[in-house]
Amino acid sequence: MLGDLGTAGLAVGLSCATLTALLWLRVALFGAAVRTARRGTAATLAAAALACALLETALLRHDFSVRFVAENGGRDVPLYYTLTSLWSALDGSLLLWLLVLGGYAALLGRRAYPPRLHAYAMVVVSVVMMFFFALSTFAANPFRAVSPVPADGPGPNPLLQQHPAMGVHPPLLYAGYLGLVVPFAFALAAPLAGRDGARWVRLARPWALVAWAALTGGIGMGAWWSYAVLGWGGYWAWDPVENASLLPWLTATAFLHTTLVRGRVAWHGALACASFLLVLLGTFLTRSGAVASVHAFTDSPLGPMLLGFVLLAVAVSAVLTGRRAPEPARAGRPRALSRATLVLVQGVLLVTIAAVVLIGTILPLLTAPLTGTRSSVGPAYYQRTAVPLAVVVLLVMGVTPALRVRDRSAALRRLVVPAAAGLGTVALVGLLSRPGPAALTAFGAAGFVLTGLAGDLAHRLRRPGPHRRPARLAGLVAHAGLALVAVGVAGSSAYGRDAERTLRVGETLRVSDVAVRLVAVDRTGGSGSMAVRARLALTASGRPARTITPALRYQAARDAAVTVPAIDTGPLRDTYVTLLAVAEDSGTATVRLAVNPLVGLIWAGGALTAASGLLAAAVTARPRTRTAARTDRPRPAPLAVGPGAAT
C-alpha cells in the first residue's frame, strides 16, 4: 500500500514539476499572473514532502514489502538511524534531494523580484526539479515492491550507524549543493530577461551566501564524520567524492569574490553556472558508480541519465552566458595594486585550484576507456599542486585588507606588523620544531593573516559608522576561520605521530609522551552482530590515567566489520586509538596509537566560517529602506565572505 502511494506521489510530483515549468514560462513570455505558477511550485514541494514522509513511514513500520526498506531497514536498528536511513542509500537520498530542491524552489517562487528575471529563473529551477523527479520515478524508485517479502532487513551500512553526524551531514551538504541552483538560474535568466536582468548578481548574492555557508558546514561535518568513524585517523584523503564537494565550494567562493568588482558580469555568470554544473558532476560521480569510494553509492542505472543532463546543462549554460547580458555601469579599470585587483587575483587562484582538483578527480575516468586501465591520482598530486596554491590564496587574503586605504604608503605601513608577525612565526616555529617547508609556510601565512585581521578589526571598532556593521565584520570572521583551518591542517600534518603494534595483556605502546597499556579484551554480542573491545589504560604527561575502549563491530546481515576508534580530545591535541585485530583467544590485540595535534582548530575554524556566511546572508538579504534624497547615492560594495573579503 505504502509502495503504491509512494510511486503515485512521485508521478504526481513529476507532473507538477512539468506543469510548473510551463506555467512560469507562460509568465515570462506573456506576463501572465504568477499566482497559478506559485501554486504549482508549492504542489511540487508537497509531492516531494509526501514521498519522503511515505518512505519514512515505511521505514518506521518495517514495511519490508517496499524494496528500499527491505534493503536498508531493520527491526533492530535504533530509531534515530531508522530515520536517517532515508538518505543512507541512493534511491532514498534522491527523495531528500527533491525535498531540499523543492524547498528552495518554493522560497524563490514567493520572492518579489523583477518579473521576467524571476519567471525565467523559476523556469530553470522547475526544469531541474522535473529532471530529478523523472530520475527518481523511472530509474531510482525506492517504492518498488519486493517478492517474497523478507521477515527482516539488514539495516543501513554499519558505517552510517556509528555517529550522530549522519543525521546532519547529508542534509547540510544537500542544502549547500542545491542552494547553488538559484545563482545558476539567475545567471541563465539574466540574458533572457533584458533590462530586468541587470541586477541579477545582487539578487543572487544572498542565495549564494546561504548555499556557501551550508556547503562549508557540510564539508566540515563530513571531515569530522570521517575522522570520528572510519578509524584511519585522518579527515581528508582527496577522495573523488570529497573532491566533488570541494569543487563547487571553490567556484562559489570565487563567485562571491568577483562580485566585489563591478563590471565583471561575464565572470559572474560563468562562475555561478560552473558552481552548479560542478554540483551536477559531483552527483554523477557519486550516484553512477563511476568512482570507487566509501562515500559513493554503488553502481546504478542513473549514470547515463545524469551524464546526459550534465552535458545538456553545460551546453545551455555556454549558449546563454555567452550572450551579452545587461551590464551595470563600469567603475573604471582597477589600479594594478589595489583591493579590486587582489580580489580578482583571488578569484583566479580559486578557479585554478578547482581546475587542478577537477583534473585529478576525473583523470582516472578519462584514461580508463582510452588505455583499458584506470590510473590513480593520489594525495601527493594534490599536495604538490593544490596545497601551494591554497597557501598563496592565504597570503593574498592577508594583503587585501591593507589596500582598503588609497594611500599606498599608508597601506604598506599597515602591512608591516602582520608581515613581522608572519616572519616571526616562521622563525620561531622553524627553530623549535622544523615542521617542513609546506607547514612552515602555512604557519607563517596564517600568522600574517590573523595579525592583519586583528589590526583591521581594531581599526574598524575605533571608527564609528558603517565600518562596524555586522555585514562588514562577517568577512573578518570568515577569514579568521579559514586561517585557523590552515593552522589545524598544517599542525596535524606536520606534527602528527603514530605507531602500530600487537600487544599482549599488560604490554604498552608509546608515541611521544602518550602510552596505552592493554588491560583486557572483551567480546559481546550474538549471532546477528558481535563487538570486540580492547580495554586500554591511557596515560599522558600532565593528565591522570584513564580507560579507553576502541572496538571492532561485526554485522552478520551485511557481512561487514567496522572499526570504532577511541578519541581522547584535549585542548591542543587528540589521542586517537584504533583496534585493528584481535587474536581468537583474546590474548593479543593489534592497536594503532596516533597523536594528532591542533585538529580541534579545523572544526572551530570551519564552524566560524560557516556561521559568518549565515550572518552575511542574513544581513545582505535584509531589505534596505532608502529615502528619496539618498536614491542617487552609490550603493555600498557587496559583502564578501571567504578569502579577500575582509577589506
Side-chain angles (χ1 to χ4, degrees):
M1 181 64 177
L2 287 175
D4 294 336
L5 289 175
T7 300
L10 290 176
V12 170
L14 176 59
S15 302
C16 288
T18 306
L19 179 61
T20 300
L22 296 174
L23 289 172
W24 282 110
L25 183 62
R26 178 170 169 263
V27 173
L29 295 177
F30 306 110
V34 300
R35 179 178 299 178
T36 305
R38 284 175 173 167
R39 289 176 177 173
T41 304
T44 306
L45 171 61
L50 175 63
C52 288
L54 288 172
L55 191 56
E56 285 285 19
T57 302
L59 286 165
L60 291 170
R61 293 176 56 182
H62 306 303
D63 185 352
F64 298 111
S65 66
V66 176
R67 181 178 60 85
F68 185 86
V69 180
E71 294 175 354
N72 301 281
R75 299 186 185 278
D76 296 330
V77 179
L79 175 62
Y80 179 77
Y81 293 110
T82 297
L83 292 171
T84 61
S85 297
L86 176 70
W87 48 86
S88 66
L90 171 64
D91 299 353
S93 72
L94 277 177
L95 297 189
L96 177 64
W97 186 278
L98 284 169
L99 181 64
V100 176
L101 181 58
Y104 275 115
L107 289 174
L108 180 61
R110 300 298 300 177
R111 302 290 289 181
Y113 290 139
R116 295 190 67 203
L117 176 69
H118 188 203
Y120 278 120
M122 287 303 301
V123 170
V124 174
V125 175
S126 299
V127 168
V128 174
M129 282 284 294
M130 182 176 64
F131 169 75
F132 281 103
F133 259 114
L135 203 65
S136 186
T137 302
F138 299 117
N141 184 351
F143 296 102
R144 289 173 183 162
V146 171
S147 181
V149 178
D152 199 356
N157 188 320
L159 286 172
L160 305 180
Q161 301 182 55
Q162 303 301 319
H163 200 282
M166 178 58 189
V168 181
H169 165 55
L172 199 57
L173 198 64
Y174 287 6
Y177 279 155
L178 295 168
L180 294 173
V181 74
V182 179
F184 171 74
F186 275 128
L188 295 186
L192 302 173
R195 292 184 178 180
D196 278 0
R199 295 186 299 147
W200 76 268
V201 174
R202 184 174 66 84
L203 300 177
R205 188 174 183 80
W207 298 90
L209 282 168
V210 169
W212 182 86
L215 190 55
T216 302
I219 293 173
M221 187 70 71
W224 182 41
W225 177 85
S226 177
Y227 180 74
V229 170
L230 296 184
W232 64 295
Y235 44 81
W236 192 267
W238 298 103
D239 180 277
V241 180
E242 293 174 345
N243 294 348
S245 65
L246 178 63
L247 286 168
W249 185 90
L250 290 167
T251 53
T253 307
F255 171 76
L256 292 172
H257 280 75
T258 57
T259 55
L260 291 170
V261 183
R262 297 182 183 275
R264 294 294 188 274
V265 173
W267 272 67
H268 304 159
L271 289 172
C273 290
S275 298
F276 189 67
L277 291 174
L278 288 171
V279 169
L280 295 177
L281 178 62
T283 307
F284 167 72
L285 294 175
T286 307
R287 289 172 166 79
S288 65
V291 297
S293 166
V294 68
H295 310 298
F297 298 105
T298 55
D299 293 343
S300 74
L302 274 64
M305 295 179 66
L306 282 168
L307 183 58
F309 189 69
V310 171
L311 296 176
L312 176 63
V314 169
V316 172
S317 301
V319 170
L320 290 180
T321 57
R323 297 179 56 178
R324 184 174 181 82
E327 297 193 11
R330 295 179 180 269
R333 296 182 61 183
R335 293 175 298 163
L337 184 61
S338 66
R339 167 183 168 272
T341 300
L342 287 187
V343 167
L344 289 176
V345 168
Q346 289 175 69
V348 172
L349 287 171
L350 289 166
V351 172
T352 304
I353 296 173
V356 167
V357 175
L358 180 62
I359 290 171
T361 303
I362 67 174
L363 184 61
L365 302 180
L366 299 178
T367 57
L370 296 176
T371 64
T373 58
R374 178 173 291 189
S375 61
S376 61
V377 177
Y381 163 79
Y382 301 101
Q383 291 166 1
R384 289 194 302 265
T385 55
V387 172
L389 288 171
V391 174
V392 175
V393 170
L394 201 63
L395 289 170
V396 176
M397 187 172 74
V399 174
T400 308
L403 298 182
R404 184 174 56 83
V405 296
R406 293 185 176 273
D407 187 349
R408 291 188 179 182
S409 60
L412 293 176
R413 286 195 300 270
R414 293 183 64 180
L415 288 173
V416 171
V417 174
L423 293 174
T425 301
V426 170
L428 181 63
V429 174
L431 289 173
L432 292 178
S433 60
R434 302 181 183 275
L440 198 59
T441 305
F443 284 134
F448 173 64
V449 171
L450 290 172
T451 306
L453 291 176
D456 193 47
L457 177 62
H459 178 73
R460 290 175 185 273
L461 294 178
R462 286 196 301 267
R463 295 181 61 187
H467 300 281
R468 301 176 66 173
R469 292 175 181 169
R472 300 291 181 91
L473 300 178
L476 295 176
V477 176
H479 288 179
L482 291 172
L484 289 178
V485 170
V487 173
V489 171
S492 60
S493 301
Y495 300 123
R497 299 291 183 268
D498 65 89
E500 179 183 324
R501 183 181 166 191
T502 299
L503 302 176
R504 294 185 179 276
V505 174
E507 291 184 339
T508 299
L509 173 63
R510 184 178 299 274
V511 171
S512 185
D513 64 335
V514 180
V516 291
R517 178 173 56 86
L518 182 61
V519 176
V521 176
D522 303 319
R523 296 177 182 268
T524 59
S527 59
S529 62
M530 182 179 67
V532 182
R533 292 180 175 83
R535 276 188 285 148
L536 298 162
L538 171 66
T539 57
S541 61
R543 299 186 65 184
R546 52 210 171 276
T547 300
I548 58 174
T549 56
L552 283 171
R553 293 179 181 171
Y554 174 76
Q555 188 182 55
R558 288 191 177 270
D559 192 23
V562 177
T563 300
V564 183
I567 305 174
D568 184 72
T569 301
L572 295 178
R573 68 183 182 184
D574 287 356
T575 300
Y576 194 101
V577 184
T578 309
L579 178 62
L580 301 178
V582 175
E584 291 186 7
D585 61 358
S586 300
T588 63
T590 303
V591 176
R592 179 180 178 272
L593 170 63
V595 178
N596 301 328
L598 303 179
V599 173
L601 292 179
I602 300 175
W603 322 133
L608 276 178
T609 305
S612 68
L614 291 177
L615 173 62
V619 174
T620 304
R622 185 173 58 195
R624 301 173 182 175
T625 57
R626 301 174 184 268
T627 62
R630 295 183 179 180
T631 53
D632 58 341
R633 294 186 182 181
R635 293 175 179 170
L639 170 69
V641 172
T647 57

